Amino acid sequence: MEAGASPRLSIEGRVAVLTLCDGSDNRMTARTLSAISARLDELEARDDIDALVLTNEGKIFSNGLDLEWLRGADDAARFEYISRVYRLTRRLLLYPMPTVAAARGHMFAGGAVLALACDERVM
């Protein structure tokens, strides 16, 4: 799977499992942020889901922000990207169902913030 690929959504009973699976370090690229937001929209529209588990494939839950991209972006693009990260964090903090970060590996910087935005964390 190419870096930045969409997270995979599966449903297990009344629990949604959103797996970060970009084949690399699950960095929060603009594409990944959009994909997570779209999945959260999809889940909020359903009435058969009671909880969300955010997990990962590989050894890294998330390596955080896409610093390589940020270095090459102009100020306006950087501001928009960071705003999107904040919006996703806020959304998870206020999500209308319980959220659990089930980290199967390391998390760094923004990846740790993503896990901390969930109601519970397990490793």
Side-chain angles (χ1 to χ4, degrees), residues 34-84:
S34 294
I36 292 171
S37 292
R39 294 298 196 181
L40 294 178
D41 289 342
E42 178 184 336
L43 293 172
E44 276 189 73
R46 297 177 66 154
D47 61 0
D48 62 335
I49 303 297
D50 293 328
L52 169 65
V53 175
L54 183 61
T55 190
N56 63 290
E57 283 184 354
K59 296 167 83 174
I60 298 175
F61 176 75
S62 176
N63 203 14
L65 303 183
D66 189 353
L67 297 179
E68 289 178 41
W69 180 86
L70 278 170
R71 281 188 204 103
D74 63 33
D75 288 343
R78 280 189 205 117
F79 180 81
E80 176 55 29
Y81 173 81
I82 296 299
S83 295
R84 290 178 69 195

Side-chain angles (χ1 to χ4, degrees), residues 1 5-22 32 35-46 48-57 92 95 97 99-100:
M1 188 171 292
S6 296
R8 184 178 60 248
L9 177 64
S10 61
I11 307 297
E12 299 179 21
R14 297 186 63 86
V15 176
V17 179
L18 188 57
T19 304
L20 303 175
C21 54
D22 75 1
T32 299
I36 292 171
S37 292
R39 294 298 196 181
L40 294 178
D41 289 342
E42 178 184 336
L43 293 172
E44 276 189 73
R46 297 177 66 154
D48 62 335
I49 303 297
D50 293 328
L52 169 65
V53 175
L54 183 61
T55 190
N56 63 290
E57 283 184 354
L92 281 172
Y95 205 60
M97 65 182 71
T99 57
V100 177

